[in-house]
């Protein structure tokens, strides 16, 4: 279907769609970009060369528990495919976790609150918001 961006996923669920398929989480990971609870992060940027924190401090995936932004950046910049796999793993985990939160938000009747939170994290409410 090609729906993998966080705003489209949540708005799709609000409109009744309950199944998605997209290459986006692995495609953007191959470009050194990850989805985080603080929005989009381009880990291959120079600012992360000495950042020894996880990709996302709110994430408990294997990548975030075991590897730093600096190390993943180093792997990607060196052409090591392991860095791309780590970033892909994180992005897939992030989306699975997000959809579990969407399921719970439906049960708790606060899906619009979750939508507002995610839109704020990714700056979708701002003009010229950058997508992936
Ligand atoms: Zn993670």
């Amino acid at each position: 279907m090609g729906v993998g961006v966080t705003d489209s996923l949540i708005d799709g669920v609000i409109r009744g769609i309950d199944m998605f398929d997209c290459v986006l989480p692995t495609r953007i990971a191959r470009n050194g970009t990850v989805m985080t609870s603080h929005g989009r992060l381009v880990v291959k940027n120079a600012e992360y060369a000495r950042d020894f924190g996880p990709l996302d401090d709110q994430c408990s995936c294997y990548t975030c528990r075991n590897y730093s932004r600096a190390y993943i950046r180093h792997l990607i910049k060196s052409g090591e495919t392991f860095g791309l796999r780590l970033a892909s793993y994180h992005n897939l985990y992030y989306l699975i976790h997000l959809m579990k939160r969407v399921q719970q938000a439906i049960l708790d009747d606060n899906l619009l609150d979750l939508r507002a939170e995610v839109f704020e994290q990714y700056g979708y409410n701002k003009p010229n918001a950058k997508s992936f």
Side-chain angles (χ1 to χ4, degrees):
M1 290 178 18
V3 176
V5 181
T6 49
D7 62 333
S8 298
L9 290 169
I10 293 174
D11 282 346
V13 169
I14 289 171
R15 288 168 173 79
I17 300 169
D18 61 3
M19 186 173 71
F20 302 91
D21 179 36
C22 188
V23 300
L24 184 98
T26 53
R27 177 184 293 156
I28 65 171
R30 289 193 302 271
N31 291 320
T33 301
V34 293
M35 303 171 178
T36 77
S37 59
H38 306 288
R40 179 178 181 269
L41 185 145
V42 183
V43 72
K44 71 177 182 182
N45 284 351
E47 67 187 283
Y48 301 113
R50 296 191 183 279
D51 185 334
F52 298 101
L55 290 176
D56 184 349
D57 59 5
Q58 303 295 311
C59 182
S60 58
C61 81
Y62 177 81
T63 299
C64 290
R65 284 184 287 115
N66 293 287
Y67 300 97
S68 69
R69 291 174 177 175
Y71 183 62
I72 294 167
R73 178 186 181 276
H74 163 74
L75 291 173
I76 292 171
K77 296 295 278 185
S78 301
E80 294 286 345
T81 58
F82 185 51
L84 307 177
R85 293 196 339 249
L86 289 172
S88 292
Y89 183 89
H90 164 80
N91 278 345
L92 292 170
Y93 186 97
Y94 174 85
L95 285 180
I96 290 168
H97 181 69
L98 175 66
M99 297 313 287
K100 286 180 180 174
R101 290 181 66 204
V102 166
Q103 288 175 326
Q104 189 61 50
I106 291 169
L107 294 172
D108 297 341
D109 196 25
N110 61 11
L111 182 56
L112 293 180
D113 294 338
L114 177 60
R115 180 186 186 274
E117 175 188 322
V118 171
F119 273 54
E120 179 66 27
Q121 290 167 344
Y122 282 85
Y124 293 136
N125 297 325
K126 298 174 185 166
N128 304 319
K130 184 161 180 70
S131 190
F132 288 96

